[in-house]
Amino acid sequence: MNVKEVISSGLLESYVLGTTSAVENDFVHDLCKKDPSLIKEIELIEEALIKYSSQTNNEINIEIKHKIEEKLFSVTNHETPNEASVIQLKDQTKIIRLYKLGIAASVVFITTTVFYILSLQDKLNKTTDKLAQTTTSKINAEEELLTQQASLIILTSKLDILSDPKVKTIALKGMNSLESKSALVHWNPTSEDVYFNSLSLPASPTNKQYQLWAIVDGKPVDAGIIELNSDSTFQKMKAIKNAQAFAVTIEKVGGSVAPTMETMCLLGNV
Amino acid sequence: MAKKPIYTQDDLIVLIRERNQKAFTYLYDNYSKALFGVIHSIVNSQEEAEDVLQNTFVKIWNNFASYEEAKGRLYTWMLNIARNMAIDSTRSKHEKIKTKIQSTSDTVYQKNNLVVDDSSHESIGLKTILNSLKEEHKLIIDLAYFEGYTQEEISKKLNIPLGTVKTKVRQAILTLRGLTKTEFLQ
């Protein structure tokens, strides 16, 4: 089955619905590896189903999210209650003397405290305002930090792919219209994974798209269409087994079966 | 406010494996409603659906090691967990009631009754999208999506040829995608 036949067979719908067999799952997974454009089709099916079952009148209680977060992430510190201290009875006279002293001390204490409280009141008001501001910016900063941590993890995982000693990085040099530009292809001949790094590539002309080709034994093999609109500069392309060179041409939207040699704009030998 | 990132499935999987809390937030914000819709259609009670949703996310997070990308989409895996937990929940609830009323068995009947009862979908209250879906398409999609019926099972249950089921599932999803068949075949 070719990609178009697979799409129209209804297999992908069953795949997302989770009703395919293990063999069929393997088949779809392999096919996606060979042609990542299939993943888009799968994502669209998934999106439609997600939208469908999200259309419910029953709202989820917002507390549910916090409850789960508490279960999964809160560091529970079980504080042991302070042990009740044992007070021992002293003799009577000592207690009375302590009373008198206590009352005198209390009067002094209360008076000073009242003045102190009044002077603090004003300070407190100002501080509360400041604190509210600080808390908001702290929450924002924490949020930002979490996002940054997440992107760092993603970057590291991509770096891991590239640091594989089997990966060859091929510099594609600009020619014709793109003389001063360049791009990179990262290719792992063992896993057959191909990644395209568009670097400084300008947007393609209107109604045109860049297409990557692998040159295998002198013949061009389609390696997929380059999506420049996505913010990722690191795009997974079609799997390629053997290649002596990689080239980029400018083709009509959706790509071509054979490259247009006149529009070749980037080329690099492995 | 920090802008909301969009993660691809690959990125999201990396983040969940790293136990990154952002990944949980993302999962919940993007999938809880859809999973809740599925769960609610099975258990048919707000409170029970919320309980099942909670347990589902805890299970998704804690059992993530058992997810394999090669075996299917992340959403499909989560959907399966949600579906199974909802069915288990209804089953145990039914069994509790049953043992109260009658001590005899007949769990097979219970089980079938559970998945066959189509009236349970009504409460999901699908609004705009639903209206665009033909009744027969909706029935088939609901069986496959909410109940986890395979196409063979749907074919048997509704007594229509397997090929027709395949076409109808695809047509229904194309409708949900807002595509007409002709548009797509171009």
Side-chain angles (χ1 to χ4, degrees), chain A residues 13 16 46 52-53 59, chain B residues 29 46 73 76 142 145 170:
Chain A
E13 282 80 1
V16 176
E46 191 173 282
Y52 178 58
S53 65
E59 291 295 321
Chain B
D29 292 348
Q46 176 76 15
R73 297 284 296 172
T76 309
D142 287 358
Y145 189 24
R170 180 158 159 74

Side-chain angles (χ1 to χ4, degrees), chain B:
Chain B
M1 282 297 284
K3 79 167 185 194
K4 286 213 163 136
I6 296 168
Y7 299 128
T8 64
Q9 179 178 286
D10 287 351
D11 290 347
L12 193 55
I13 290 168
V14 170
L15 288 178
I16 304 171
R17 293 215 167 109
E18 288 290 329
R19 313 272 83 191
N20 182 283
Q21 188 169 348
K22 203 85 204 164
F24 169 77
T25 312
Y26 191 86
L27 272 184
Y28 192 89
D29 292 348
N30 287 282
Y31 303 109
S32 60
K33 266 203 115 180
L35 294 177
F36 187 74
V38 174
I39 293 167
H40 198 289
S41 79
I42 298 171
V43 302
N44 216 1
S45 132
Q46 176 76 15
E47 201 186 334
E48 195 182 343
E50 283 176 350
D51 279 350
V52 173
L53 185 74
Q54 253 191 79
N55 295 335
T56 300
F57 270 99
V58 170
K59 191 164 180 183
I60 287 170
W61 194 258
N62 289 338
N63 288 20
F64 197 71
S66 68
Y67 170 66
E68 285 175 56
E69 284 157 274
K71 290 189 178 164
R73 297 284 296 172
L74 174 60
Y75 179 68
T76 309
W77 181 73
M78 299 195 296
L79 170 67
N80 268 324
I81 292 180
R83 230 161 22 193
N84 289 339
M85 292 198 99
I87 291 172
D88 282 351
S89 167
T90 323
R91 201 172 291 162
S92 67
K93 193 180 67 185
H94 277 226
E95 267 158 21
K96 262 181 217 158
I97 295 167
K98 234 189 152 167
T99 42
K100 268 184 195 164
I101 303 168
Q102 54 177 95
S103 54
T104 46
S105 55
D106 209 5
T107 45
V108 178
Y109 167 76
Q110 269 301 338
K111 190 189 164 219
N112 285 342
N113 197 24
L114 248 181
V115 278
V116 168
D117 186 8
D118 294 320
S119 64
S120 64
H121 301 155
E122 279 166 19
S123 71
I124 190 157
L126 299 168
K127 290 170 283 191
T128 43
I129 294 181
L130 175 67
N131 298 335
S132 63
L133 215 55
K134 281 189 210 157
E135 197 49 47
E136 52 165 351
H137 282 170
K138 179 180 149 36
L139 178 63
I140 289 177
I141 274 298
D142 287 358
L143 283 174
Y145 189 24
F146 297 155
E147 317 274 14
Y149 271 61
T150 64
Q151 299 186 332
E152 286 80 7
E153 285 166 340
I154 295 176
S155 153
K156 264 186 210 151
K157 181 177 153 54
L158 302 180
N159 202 16
I160 45 177
L162 183 59
T164 315
V165 175
K166 283 191 176 161
T167 320
K168 288 200 175 321
V169 167
R170 180 158 159 74
Q171 280 170 353
I173 294 178
L174 284 176
T175 313
L176 292 176
R177 282 167 64 172
L179 294 172
T180 62
K181 218 180 163 198
T182 44
E183 241 180 308
F184 187 76
L185 287 177
Q186 271 173 3

Side-chain angles (χ1 to χ4, degrees), chain A:
Chain A
M1 273 203 276
N2 67 31
V3 171
K4 269 199 177 137
E5 281 166 349
V6 169
I7 288 177
S8 58
S9 72
L11 179 66
L12 300 181
E13 282 80 1
S14 303
Y15 178 73
V16 176
L17 286 163
T19 55
T20 34
S21 67
V23 179
E24 287 171 319
N25 289 343
D26 282 347
F27 176 72
V28 174
H29 187 253
D30 285 349
L31 217 59
C32 286
K33 207 177 135 117
K34 281 191 198 116
D35 189 350
S37 69
L38 258 189
I39 296 173
K40 270 222 181 83
E41 181 68 19
I42 291 173
E43 282 169 350
L44 289 172
I45 295 168
E46 191 173 282
E47 245 168 59
L49 287 170
I50 287 175
K51 231 203 237 155
Y52 178 58
S53 65
S54 299
Q55 293 271 318
T56 162
N57 288 330
N58 314 86
E59 291 295 321
I60 312 167
N61 187 336
I62 34 167
E63 279 304 303
I64 300 289
K65 187 180 181 185
H66 301 303
K67 277 191 193 165
I68 305 171
E69 276 175 331
E70 237 163 63
K71 270 190 197 161
L72 298 178
F73 302 105
S74 76
V75 192
T76 44
N77 40 4
H78 300 283
E79 280 180 35
T80 45
N82 291 331
E83 278 180 33
S85 48
V86 179
I87 302 162
Q88 273 167 0
L89 277 176
K90 306 271 165 63
D91 57 282
Q92 288 285 335
T93 48
K94 225 178 183 180
I95 290 171
I96 290 169
R97 216 186 299 149
L98 276 174
Y99 259 130
K100 284 181 181 167
L101 196 66
I103 290 165
S106 303
V107 171
V108 176
F109 179 71
I110 288 166
T111 340
T112 25
T113 310
V114 167
F115 281 109
Y116 192 54
I117 286 173
L118 287 176
S119 77
L120 276 185
Q121 189 76 54
D122 183 52
K123 256 188 190 169
L124 182 65
N125 286 342
K126 284 176 191 159
T127 318
T128 316
D129 288 348
K130 248 188 191 166
L131 184 66
Q133 284 170 15
T134 319
T135 315
T136 324
S137 56
K138 184 171 170 265
I139 290 170
N140 285 345
E142 278 172 354
E143 186 73 7
E144 183 65 38
L145 182 69
L146 279 173
T147 312
Q148 295 298 339
Q149 274 173 351
S151 29
L152 187 66
I153 291 170
I154 292 167
L155 276 178
T156 316
S157 75
K158 285 178 179 161
L159 193 64
D160 282 347
I161 298 173
L162 293 187
S163 335
D164 189 326
K166 292 186 207 89
V167 168
K168 294 178 181 175
T169 297
I170 301 120
L172 305 188
K173 290 201 182 70
M175 44 204 286
N176 302 332
S177 56
L178 294 179
E179 194 125 24
S180 58
K181 308 290 180 188
S182 59
L184 295 177
V185 165
H186 306 284
W187 175 47
N188 185 332
T190 317
S191 69
E192 300 174 21
D193 288 334
V194 177
Y195 297 91
F196 187 81
N197 186 343
S198 54
L199 296 181
S200 57
L201 215 56
S204 53
T206 32
N207 296 323
K208 300 277 179 193
Q209 273 183 315
Y210 292 112
Q211 190 171 358
L212 182 69
W213 305 88
I215 312 299
V216 182
D217 302 326
K219 282 179 192 145
V221 174
D222 172 30
I225 290 152
I226 296 158
E227 309 273 353
L228 279 187
N229 48 348
S230 67
D231 53 355
S232 86
T233 50
F234 190 75
Q235 190 195 338
K236 191 164 186 183
M237 308 302 291
K238 292 186 181 181
I240 295 292
K241 207 184 260 175
N242 296 302
Q244 290 82 47
F246 285 92
V248 172
T249 61
I250 298 169
E251 304 290 342
K252 64 181 193 293
V253 174
S256 305
V257 187
T260 319
M261 298 317 277
E262 304 79 57
T263 61
M264 191 188 284
C265 53
L266 292 164
L267 180 67
N269 290 320
V270 173

